Amino acid sequence: MRIAAAKLLSRLIHHGAATAIGGLETALCSSATKPASAASLCKLNGRYMSSGGDAKAVEVQQPSNKPTGTRQPPVQSATQRPPARQRSQQQQQQQQQQQQQQQQQQQAAHQQAAAPARAGGANSGKQRQQSSKQLQQQQQQQQQQQRQEQPPQEEEPLRLWHSGAGVAQLASLQVNKYFDVPRNVCPEASKQFYEDPVLADERVNQPNYGCRAVQAEASFFGGASAAMPLLNRRCLQELVQAVAQQQRPHIYLDGWAGSGKSVALYALVNWARANGWLALYLPTANLLVDGGTYYKGEDGLWDTPEAARLILTAAKDNHDRLLKPTPPAHSCHTFGRSRTAPQLYTPHIAGGSWAWARVQQARSKVHGSDGQPLSKLVAEGLAAKAPRDVVAAAVKLKEELYAVKDVPVLFAVDDYNVLYSHTHYYEAMHATHHRTLAPDELRLVRTFRLLEQPAPANGVVVAAPTFGQTVSDKLRVPVPKRSRLHVPRYGLDELEATVEYFQSVGHIAGQPDEAMLRRALFLVNGNAKELREYAPTLLHADDPLGISLGYKAKASRLKEYLETV
């Protein structure tokens, strides 16, 4: 036993395996229990060796989790494997070398990527300047070539028909020139002003109480534009000057159907509002005799609250800032200085700063007879629920405006003769009979028969009849003396100005001569509506069908053609 232990210890010292001491202890323990002659095996660090004989190592394969099909790397023996400290040092050195190589590679890649940018960065400013100069030179050369290739163009005559001014300067504009009318100054002339949005979504047919002539003019030439061009006729300028100077308190526009009475009245209302006037405008008197509910009052007159609400709404939307009282100016101190607080109102008119200053001066003077502002009267009328209260507010508004002295007021009623024709209301007499109400029985009709009433305190009443509807032209309308203002149909000079406008908007092509203009004027008889609708046919240079030349001219042209053939 002692001999075997000595041999094993010498062998361990020879190989320098310090970890085999545990195996020595195992061998000593096993030798104490087993006889010395038995060939005992001692496990030393995962290796088995015989207790007697040579020191031939027997390798034992450890179980692994790798699949059997893979090839296992060869296991080094104790004689070939270096010590644990040396292995750990070698691994650390290898890792450090790999990290250094990776860092060097990354630095080299960064240097290669940054080299062209650094090389080009020094000259980038110069290159940009040179490229911009080259582009400018190329553009200049292209422009010069285009100028040389194209002949010199004359001044475009697209705006020669326009005066370049708005409706606020209508009284001083050149005759037979167009001017711009903003669409938002007079919203009650449009159809949308009288439509109920709920019924419009359901596609319910609603009555149109706007100005149909203005609606046709606006839709025919650019309904989506912000301003609508209108022709400054001589009769329109006379009308504006007569209203501005208040030469006559009552004016009755007389003229044939299609002569332009409704458009002239619409332009007059826009001019008045642009110059600080209060304008109560009814685009059609049919609003007072047709549509809506009606109730009989205690005095026997009938009330139409829907028409009264529309009148009050138009006054509120167009003159709410003017009807409101001016807030009192108060002083405030800023850095030891006393100043008056500015008025926080935005101009609603298109007449310029001088007109708006006039409105600011007159705002505090527009009061009722009881001293309250008219805006309060309008608000109370719109908030009222009883039909008689709503109609009473509209009647009182008209009376209060009639009595205003410090601000000029314009009363404009289109289709005025409708107030003397008939209504669409009736009263049931018994189960099988009803009678039609006369216009005299409606309270608002009596209120707006303005030509029968005395002149306003500071204002003008302008009314225009209609002859294109169900109203008879033989109807007698009471008109004051020397109040008629004739609105003629288009003449040759006005036709020429209109043709220039048609050419600019592309409505007609070519340049018609004087003979064609005279023929078109004769065929439409000066009717502006028919001229607008039939101008492409009437002013066509070559008319193969002979529509505008007549059947005799067509026959003569056909005869000449057959003779030449």
Side-chain angles (χ1 to χ4, degrees), residues 170-171 175 232-245 247-248 251 253 268 484-488:
L170 182 58
V175 180
N232 182 23
R233 305 176 61 188
R234 190 177 302 278
C235 59
L236 176 58
Q237 195 167 25
E238 293 176 359
L239 173 62
V240 172
Q241 291 176 358
V243 172
Q245 300 174 6
Q247 299 174 355
R248 291 176 283 183
I251 298 177
L253 301 180
L268 177 65
R484 293 181 181 269
L485 180 63
H486 185 62
V487 180

PDB file of all heavy atoms in Angstrom, residues 170-171 175 232-245 247-248 251 253 268 484-488:
ATOM      1  N   LEU A 170     -69.279 104.800 -57.682  1.00  0.00           N
ATOM      2  CA  LEU A 170     -70.156 104.694 -58.842  1.00  0.00           C
ATOM      3  C   LEU A 170     -70.599 106.050 -59.358  1.00  0.00           C
ATOM      4  O   LEU A 170     -70.777 106.229 -60.577  1.00  0.00           O
ATOM      5  CB  LEU A 170     -71.383 103.848 -58.472  1.00  0.00           C
ATOM      6  CG  LEU A 170     -72.418 103.581 -59.571  1.00  0.00           C
ATOM      7  CD1 LEU A 170     -71.765 102.890 -60.759  1.00  0.00           C
ATOM      8  CD2 LEU A 170     -73.571 102.752 -59.032  1.00  0.00           C
ATOM      9  N   ALA A 171     -70.781 107.028 -58.487  1.00  0.00           N
ATOM     10  CA  ALA A 171     -71.286 108.331 -58.922  1.00  0.00           C
ATOM     11  C   ALA A 171     -70.288 109.091 -59.786  1.00  0.00           C
ATOM     12  O   ALA A 171     -70.693 109.986 -60.544  1.00  0.00           O
ATOM     13  CB  ALA A 171     -71.662 109.177 -57.702  1.00  0.00           C
ATOM     14  N   VAL A 175     -68.900 106.497 -67.933  1.00  0.00           N
ATOM     15  CA  VAL A 175     -70.071 105.797 -68.439  1.00  0.00           C
ATOM     16  C   VAL A 175     -69.621 104.682 -69.386  1.00  0.00           C
ATOM     17  O   VAL A 175     -68.594 104.788 -70.070  1.00  0.00           O
ATOM     18  CB  VAL A 175     -71.024 106.784 -69.149  1.00  0.00           C
ATOM     19  CG1 VAL A 175     -72.259 106.060 -69.682  1.00  0.00           C
ATOM     20  CG2 VAL A 175     -71.442 107.886 -68.198  1.00  0.00           C
ATOM     21  N   ASN A 232     -71.791 100.327 -65.909  1.00  0.00           N
ATOM     22  CA  ASN A 232     -72.207 101.653 -65.451  1.00  0.00           C
ATOM     23  C   ASN A 232     -72.913 102.369 -66.602  1.00  0.00           C
ATOM     24  O   ASN A 232     -72.290 103.060 -67.398  1.00  0.00           O
ATOM     25  CB  ASN A 232     -70.996 102.451 -64.970  1.00  0.00           C
ATOM     26  CG  ASN A 232     -71.386 103.815 -64.434  1.00  0.00           C
ATOM     27  OD1 ASN A 232     -72.531 104.027 -64.028  1.00  0.00           O
ATOM     28  ND2 ASN A 232     -70.449 104.743 -64.441  1.00  0.00           N
ATOM     29  N   ARG A 233     -74.213 102.207 -66.654  1.00  0.00           N
ATOM     30  CA  ARG A 233     -75.002 102.846 -67.698  1.00  0.00           C
ATOM     31  C   ARG A 233     -75.273 104.304 -67.331  1.00  0.00           C
ATOM     32  O   ARG A 233     -75.157 104.719 -66.181  1.00  0.00           O
ATOM     33  CB  ARG A 233     -76.314 102.081 -67.884  1.00  0.00           C
ATOM     34  CG  ARG A 233     -76.126 100.598 -68.177  1.00  0.00           C
ATOM     35  CD  ARG A 233     -77.473  99.900 -68.262  1.00  0.00           C
ATOM     36  NE  ARG A 233     -78.283 100.451 -69.334  1.00  0.00           N
ATOM     37  CZ  ARG A 233     -79.555 100.128 -69.537  1.00  0.00           C
ATOM     38  NH1 ARG A 233     -80.166  99.283 -68.714  1.00  0.00           N
ATOM     39  NH2 ARG A 233     -80.235 100.649 -70.538  1.00  0.00           N
ATOM     40  N   ARG A 234     -75.677 105.052 -68.328  1.00  0.00           N
ATOM     41  CA  ARG A 234     -75.954 106.466 -68.087  1.00  0.00           C
ATOM     42  C   ARG A 234     -77.163 106.645 -67.167  1.00  0.00           C
ATOM     43  O   ARG A 234     -77.162 107.495 -66.274  1.00  0.00           O
ATOM     44  CB  ARG A 234     -76.190 107.180 -69.418  1.00  0.00           C
ATOM     45  CG  ARG A 234     -76.249 108.688 -69.302  1.00  0.00           C
ATOM     46  CD  ARG A 234     -76.408 109.307 -70.670  1.00  0.00           C
ATOM     47  NE  ARG A 234     -75.329 108.930 -71.546  1.00  0.00           N
ATOM     48  CZ  ARG A 234     -74.131 109.526 -71.572  1.00  0.00           C
ATOM     49  NH1 ARG A 234     -73.871 110.522 -70.738  1.00  0.00           N
ATOM     50  NH2 ARG A 234     -73.190 109.125 -72.414  1.00  0.00           N
ATOM     51  N   CYS A 235     -78.184 105.816 -67.354  1.00  0.00           N
ATOM     52  CA  CYS A 235     -79.363 105.915 -66.495  1.00  0.00           C
ATOM     53  C   CYS A 235     -79.023 105.531 -65.050  1.00  0.00           C
ATOM     54  O   CYS A 235     -79.574 106.118 -64.101  1.00  0.00           O
ATOM     55  CB  CYS A 235     -80.480 105.029 -67.040  1.00  0.00           C
ATOM     56  SG  CYS A 235     -80.052 103.273 -67.175  1.00  0.00           S
ATOM     57  N   LEU A 236     -78.109 104.572 -64.854  1.00  0.00           N
ATOM     58  CA  LEU A 236     -77.706 104.193 -63.512  1.00  0.00           C
ATOM     59  C   LEU A 236     -76.953 105.315 -62.824  1.00  0.00           C
ATOM     60  O   LEU A 236     -77.147 105.586 -61.629  1.00  0.00           O
ATOM     61  CB  LEU A 236     -76.847 102.926 -63.573  1.00  0.00           C
ATOM     62  CG  LEU A 236     -76.258 102.429 -62.246  1.00  0.00           C
ATOM     63  CD1 LEU A 236     -77.349 102.148 -61.226  1.00  0.00           C
ATOM     64  CD2 LEU A 236     -75.409 101.185 -62.477  1.00  0.00           C
ATOM     65  N   GLN A 237     -76.096 106.005 -63.565  1.00  0.00           N
ATOM     66  CA  GLN A 237     -75.357 107.113 -62.965  1.00  0.00           C
ATOM     67  C   GLN A 237     -76.294 108.264 -62.612  1.00  0.00           C
ATOM     68  O   GLN A 237     -76.127 108.920 -61.577  1.00  0.00           O
ATOM     69  CB  GLN A 237     -74.269 107.588 -63.920  1.00  0.00           C
ATOM     70  CG  GLN A 237     -73.220 108.470 -63.270  1.00  0.00           C
ATOM     71  CD  GLN A 237     -72.005 108.650 -64.144  1.00  0.00           C
ATOM     72  OE1 GLN A 237     -72.108 108.532 -65.368  1.00  0.00           O
ATOM     73  NE2 GLN A 237     -70.867 108.940 -63.548  1.00  0.00           N
ATOM     74  N   GLU A 238     -77.283 108.512 -63.447  1.00  0.00           N
ATOM     75  CA  GLU A 238     -78.272 109.545 -63.115  1.00  0.00           C
ATOM     76  C   GLU A 238     -79.056 109.166 -61.859  1.00  0.00           C
ATOM     77  O   GLU A 238     -79.357 110.027 -61.021  1.00  0.00           O
ATOM     78  CB  GLU A 238     -79.223 109.746 -64.300  1.00  0.00           C
ATOM     79  CG  GLU A 238     -78.562 110.341 -65.529  1.00  0.00           C
ATOM     80  CD  GLU A 238     -79.517 110.437 -66.705  1.00  0.00           C
ATOM     81  OE1 GLU A 238     -80.695 110.004 -66.529  1.00  0.00           O
ATOM     82  OE2 GLU A 238     -79.132 110.939 -67.767  1.00  0.00           O
ATOM     83  N   LEU A 239     -79.386 107.896 -61.716  1.00  0.00           N
ATOM     84  CA  LEU A 239     -80.106 107.444 -60.536  1.00  0.00           C
ATOM     85  C   LEU A 239     -79.265 107.627 -59.270  1.00  0.00           C
ATOM     86  O   LEU A 239     -79.761 108.117 -58.239  1.00  0.00           O
ATOM     87  CB  LEU A 239     -80.496 105.973 -60.712  1.00  0.00           C
ATOM     88  CG  LEU A 239     -81.113 105.268 -59.506  1.00  0.00           C
ATOM     89  CD1 LEU A 239     -82.431 105.930 -59.113  1.00  0.00           C
ATOM     90  CD2 LEU A 239     -81.317 103.786 -59.806  1.00  0.00           C
ATOM     91  N   VAL A 240     -77.997 107.258 -59.335  1.00  0.00           N
ATOM     92  CA  VAL A 240     -77.122 107.390 -58.158  1.00  0.00           C
ATOM     93  C   VAL A 240     -76.935 108.863 -57.794  1.00  0.00           C
ATOM     94  O   VAL A 240     -76.972 109.234 -56.604  1.00  0.00           O
ATOM     95  CB  VAL A 240     -75.772 106.700 -58.432  1.00  0.00           C
ATOM     96  CG1 VAL A 240     -74.792 106.985 -57.314  1.00  0.00           C
ATOM     97  CG2 VAL A 240     -75.967 105.208 -58.590  1.00  0.00           C
ATOM     98  N   GLN A 241     -76.762 109.699 -58.759  1.00  0.00           N
ATOM     99  CA  GLN A 241     -76.591 111.122 -58.469  1.00  0.00           C
ATOM    100  C   GLN A 241     -77.857 111.738 -57.887  1.00  0.00           C
ATOM    101  O   GLN A 241     -77.793 112.566 -56.974  1.00  0.00           O
ATOM    102  CB  GLN A 241     -76.176 111.854 -59.744  1.00  0.00           C
ATOM    103  CG  GLN A 241     -74.778 111.499 -60.222  1.00  0.00           C
ATOM    104  CD  GLN A 241     -74.424 112.173 -61.535  1.00  0.00           C
ATOM    105  OE1 GLN A 241     -75.253 112.887 -62.124  1.00  0.00           O
ATOM    106  NE2 GLN A 241     -73.192 111.967 -62.001  1.00  0.00           N
ATOM    107  N   ALA A 242     -79.020 111.297 -58.375  1.00  0.00           N
ATOM    108  CA  ALA A 242     -80.280 111.816 -57.840  1.00  0.00           C
ATOM    109  C   ALA A 242     -80.488 111.382 -56.387  1.00  0.00           C
ATOM    110  O   ALA A 242     -80.965 112.166 -55.558  1.00  0.00           O
ATOM    111  CB  ALA A 242     -81.444 111.346 -58.703  1.00  0.00           C
ATOM    112  N   VAL A 243     -80.096 110.152 -56.062  1.00  0.00           N
ATOM    113  CA  VAL A 243     -80.232 109.680 -54.682  1.00  0.00           C
ATOM    114  C   VAL A 243     -79.195 110.347 -53.786  1.00  0.00           C
ATOM    115  O   VAL A 243     -79.489 110.713 -52.632  1.00  0.00           O
ATOM    116  CB  VAL A 243     -80.113 108.149 -54.636  1.00  0.00           C
ATOM    117  CG1 VAL A 243     -80.061 107.651 -53.198  1.00  0.00           C
ATOM    118  CG2 VAL A 243     -81.272 107.502 -55.372  1.00  0.00           C
ATOM    119  N   ALA A 244     -77.983 110.518 -54.263  1.00  0.00           N
ATOM    120  CA  ALA A 244     -76.922 111.113 -53.442  1.00  0.00           C
ATOM    121  C   ALA A 244     -77.258 112.560 -53.092  1.00  0.00           C
ATOM    122  O   ALA A 244     -77.029 113.005 -51.959  1.00  0.00           O
ATOM    123  CB  ALA A 244     -75.588 111.036 -54.167  1.00  0.00           C
ATOM    124  N   GLN A 245     -77.808 113.299 -54.024  1.00  0.00           N
ATOM    125  CA  GLN A 245     -78.175 114.688 -53.777  1.00  0.00           C
ATOM    126  C   GLN A 245     -79.569 114.837 -53.190  1.00  0.00           C
ATOM    127  O   GLN A 245     -79.952 115.963 -52.825  1.00  0.00           O
ATOM    128  CB  GLN A 245     -78.083 115.473 -55.090  1.00  0.00           C
ATOM    129  CG  GLN A 245     -76.690 115.469 -55.694  1.00  0.00           C
ATOM    130  CD  GLN A 245     -76.654 116.119 -57.058  1.00  0.00           C
ATOM    131  OE1 GLN A 245     -77.664 116.686 -57.518  1.00  0.00           O
ATOM    132  NE2 GLN A 245     -75.494 116.067 -57.719  1.00  0.00           N
ATOM    133  N   GLN A 247     -82.464 114.747 -54.609  1.00  0.00           N
ATOM    134  CA  GLN A 247     -83.236 115.702 -55.401  1.00  0.00           C
ATOM    135  C   GLN A 247     -84.737 115.420 -55.310  1.00  0.00           C
ATOM    136  O   GLN A 247     -85.554 116.333 -55.268  1.00  0.00           O
ATOM    137  CB  GLN A 247     -82.780 115.648 -56.865  1.00  0.00           C
ATOM    138  CG  GLN A 247     -81.315 116.009 -57.057  1.00  0.00           C
ATOM    139  CD  GLN A 247     -80.868 115.794 -58.487  1.00  0.00           C
ATOM    140  OE1 GLN A 247     -81.622 115.296 -59.328  1.00  0.00           O
ATOM    141  NE2 GLN A 247     -79.611 116.165 -58.777  1.00  0.00           N
ATOM    142  N   ARG A 248     -85.082 114.127 -55.286  1.00  0.00           N
ATOM    143  CA  ARG A 248     -86.484 113.724 -55.209  1.00  0.00           C
ATOM    144  C   ARG A 248     -86.637 112.694 -54.094  1.00  0.00           C
ATOM    145  O   ARG A 248     -85.866 111.725 -54.043  1.00  0.00           O
ATOM    146  CB  ARG A 248     -86.950 113.127 -56.542  1.00  0.00           C
ATOM    147  CG  ARG A 248     -87.050 114.142 -57.661  1.00  0.00           C
ATOM    148  CD  ARG A 248     -87.412 113.476 -58.973  1.00  0.00           C
ATOM    149  NE  ARG A 248     -86.265 112.808 -59.576  1.00  0.00           N
ATOM    150  CZ  ARG A 248     -86.301 112.193 -60.754  1.00  0.00           C
ATOM    151  NH1 ARG A 248     -87.437 112.158 -61.442  1.00  0.00           N
ATOM    152  NH2 ARG A 248     -85.222 111.619 -61.230  1.00  0.00           N
ATOM    153  N   ILE A 251     -88.676 107.950 -56.082  1.00  0.00           N
ATOM    154  CA  ILE A 251     -88.221 107.654 -57.444  1.00  0.00           C
ATOM    155  C   ILE A 251     -88.863 106.341 -57.862  1.00  0.00           C
ATOM    156  O   ILE A 251     -88.783 105.334 -57.147  1.00  0.00           O
ATOM    157  CB  ILE A 251     -86.684 107.562 -57.527  1.00  0.00           C
ATOM    158  CG1 ILE A 251     -86.045 108.906 -57.149  1.00  0.00           C
ATOM    159  CG2 ILE A 251     -86.256 107.138 -58.917  1.00  0.00           C
ATOM    160  CD1 ILE A 251     -84.532 108.874 -57.132  1.00  0.00           C
ATOM    161  N   LEU A 253     -88.746 103.706 -60.920  1.00  0.00           N
ATOM    162  CA  LEU A 253     -88.016 103.287 -62.114  1.00  0.00           C
ATOM    163  C   LEU A 253     -89.006 102.703 -63.122  1.00  0.00           C
ATOM    164  O   LEU A 253     -89.666 101.696 -62.853  1.00  0.00           O
ATOM    165  CB  LEU A 253     -86.946 102.252 -61.759  1.00  0.00           C
ATOM    166  CG  LEU A 253     -85.889 102.701 -60.740  1.00  0.00           C
ATOM    167  CD1 LEU A 253     -84.890 101.587 -60.485  1.00  0.00           C
ATOM    168  CD2 LEU A 253     -85.185 103.962 -61.212  1.00  0.00           C
ATOM    169  N   LEU A 268     -77.722 100.248 -56.839  1.00  0.00           N
ATOM    170  CA  LEU A 268     -77.956 101.412 -55.990  1.00  0.00           C
ATOM    171  C   LEU A 268     -77.885 101.050 -54.508  1.00  0.00           C
ATOM    172  O   LEU A 268     -77.305 101.797 -53.704  1.00  0.00           O
ATOM    173  CB  LEU A 268     -79.328 102.015 -56.324  1.00  0.00           C
ATOM    174  CG  LEU A 268     -79.763 103.207 -55.467  1.00  0.00           C
ATOM    175  CD1 LEU A 268     -78.848 104.405 -55.704  1.00  0.00           C
ATOM    176  CD2 LEU A 268     -81.220 103.572 -55.766  1.00  0.00           C
ATOM    177  N   ARG A 484     -90.930 109.634 -61.778  1.00  0.00           N
ATOM    178  CA  ARG A 484     -90.551 108.580 -62.725  1.00  0.00           C
ATOM    179  C   ARG A 484     -89.142 108.840 -63.272  1.00  0.00           C
ATOM    180  O   ARG A 484     -88.795 109.967 -63.643  1.00  0.00           O
ATOM    181  CB  ARG A 484     -91.542 108.515 -63.887  1.00  0.00           C
ATOM    182  CG  ARG A 484     -92.928 108.042 -63.481  1.00  0.00           C
ATOM    183  CD  ARG A 484     -93.856 107.972 -64.684  1.00  0.00           C
ATOM    184  NE  ARG A 484     -95.197 107.535 -64.307  1.00  0.00           N
ATOM    185  CZ  ARG A 484     -95.607 106.267 -64.285  1.00  0.00           C
ATOM    186  NH1 ARG A 484     -94.771 105.311 -64.655  1.00  0.00           N
ATOM    187  NH2 ARG A 484     -96.836 105.973 -63.931  1.00  0.00           N
ATOM    188  N   LEU A 485     -88.389 107.775 -63.323  1.00  0.00           N
ATOM    189  CA  LEU A 485     -87.050 107.801 -63.927  1.00  0.00           C
ATOM    190  C   LEU A 485     -86.989 106.666 -64.939  1.00  0.00           C
ATOM    191  O   LEU A 485     -87.088 105.488 -64.587  1.00  0.00           O
ATOM    192  CB  LEU A 485     -85.962 107.635 -62.868  1.00  0.00           C
ATOM    193  CG  LEU A 485     -84.515 107.639 -63.378  1.00  0.00           C
ATOM    194  CD1 LEU A 485     -84.173 108.991 -64.006  1.00  0.00           C
ATOM    195  CD2 LEU A 485     -83.535 107.344 -62.255  1.00  0.00           C
ATOM    196  N   HIS A 486     -86.854 107.037 -66.206  1.00  0.00           N
ATOM    197  CA  HIS A 486     -86.923 106.050 -67.268  1.00  0.00           C
ATOM    198  C   HIS A 486     -85.609 105.273 -67.371  1.00  0.00           C
ATOM    199  O   HIS A 486     -84.521 105.858 -67.361  1.00  0.00           O
ATOM    200  CB  HIS A 486     -87.235 106.730 -68.603  1.00  0.00           C
ATOM    201  CG  HIS A 486     -87.435 105.767 -69.723  1.00  0.00           C
ATOM    202  ND1 HIS A 486     -88.442 104.828 -69.746  1.00  0.00           N
ATOM    203  CD2 HIS A 486     -86.739 105.598 -70.884  1.00  0.00           C
ATOM    204  CE1 HIS A 486     -88.376 104.122 -70.850  1.00  0.00           C
ATOM    205  NE2 HIS A 486     -87.344 104.573 -71.562  1.00  0.00           N
ATOM    206  N   VAL A 487     -85.742 103.956 -67.457  1.00  0.00           N
ATOM    207  CA  VAL A 487     -84.595 103.058 -67.657  1.00  0.00           C
ATOM    208  C   VAL A 487     -84.752 102.453 -69.054  1.00  0.00           C
ATOM    209  O   VAL A 487     -85.542 101.530 -69.256  1.00  0.00           O
ATOM    210  CB  VAL A 487     -84.550 101.953 -66.590  1.00  0.00           C
ATOM    211  CG1 VAL A 487     -83.352 101.031 -66.832  1.00  0.00           C
ATOM    212  CG2 VAL A 487     -84.477 102.557 -65.195  1.00  0.00           C
ATOM    213  N   PRO A 488     -84.021 102.966 -70.049  1.00  0.00           N
ATOM    214  CA  PRO A 488     -84.189 102.462 -71.423  1.00  0.00           C
ATOM    215  C   PRO A 488     -83.490 101.125 -71.617  1.00  0.00           C
ATOM    216  O   PRO A 488     -82.676 100.680 -70.795  1.00  0.00           O
ATOM    217  CB  PRO A 488     -83.546 103.559 -72.266  1.00  0.00           C
ATOM    218  CG  PRO A 488     -82.486 104.128 -71.386  1.00  0.00           C
ATOM    219  CD  PRO A 488     -83.023 104.042 -69.977  1.00  0.00           C
TER     220      PRO A 488
END
